[in-house]
Each structure stands twice: as C-alpha cells, then as structure tokens.
Amino acid sequence: MEVSLATLIGFAAGCIGLYSFVPQVVKCCRTGDVAAISLRMFALRTFGLLLWTVYGYALGSLPVLIFSALGLVLSIVILVLKVRGARTQPTGESCRQDQPDQKDSGTVEPVAG
C-alpha cells in the first residue's frame, strides 16, 4: 500500500491542527472556566467541523474525515462545557473574579523618603 504525498501532508496538517486545540480542551475540562469562550463561535465551529466530517466521508479522504471528526468531538466537549457553564453562572457576574480587594480609602500609607 503506497501513501501519496498529499495524504501524508493531510495527516501532518491534521495532527498539528488537533494538537494545537487539545490544550484548550484540557484546560476547560480541568478548570471548568469557559467564561472567555464565545458560545456563538464554538457553535459555528462545531457545525463547520460536522460539515467537514461529512465532506471527508463523501470524498473518501481519510485525513479530512479523521481529523475533522476528532476536532468535532473536542469542539462538542467545549460547547457542552460552555452551555453548562452559562446555565450555572449568575447573570451580571464578572469574568474576572480573581481581582484583589481594593484598599480602604480611609487608610494612609507611609511615604518613604
């Protein structure tokens, strides 16, 4: 069985593209923090990957089929986390919860000098 150069390039591109997306999925799964992720963008990305998967199947292109299907699964994971997070996060809650408390304006700090 001889593999064409185009197929090898397709597999290399798929591996690199998928590898670049995995850290985001891992971070979202570990921390549950999806506040900075756009629901609309991931919904469109997921639909696009679904179409790429169907396209890869229709063409019989193994690299397109495999990597678009794997990307689809990862996108669905983030999309599900985002939808769950949107349901549990109260409205009006700030995205940045780790800001330090402001100092009391009545206190005076010594000036070095």
Side-chain angles (χ1 to χ4, degrees), residues 21-30 42 74-75 77-78 81:
F21 190 54
V22 169
Q24 182 70 48
V25 176
V26 170
K27 181 182 178 191
C28 288
C29 286
R30 283 187 182 161
F42 260 92
L74 295 177
S75 249
V77 168
I78 289 187
L81 288 171

Side-chain angles (χ1 to χ4, degrees), residues 78-97:
I78 289 187
L79 191 60
V80 167
L81 288 171
K82 179 66 180 176
V83 169
R84 282 186 184 170
R87 288 183 184 165
T88 60
Q89 183 178 13
T91 57
E93 184 175 321
S94 173
C95 292
R96 305 192 91 217
Q97 296 176 349

Side-chain angles (χ1 to χ4, degrees), residues 39-57:
L39 179 61
R40 182 179 297 156
M41 189 278 294
F42 260 92
L44 287 173
R45 177 182 173 83
T46 303
F47 183 66
L49 285 166
L50 175 66
L51 293 177
W52 275 111
T53 303
V54 172
Y55 178 71
Y57 178 78

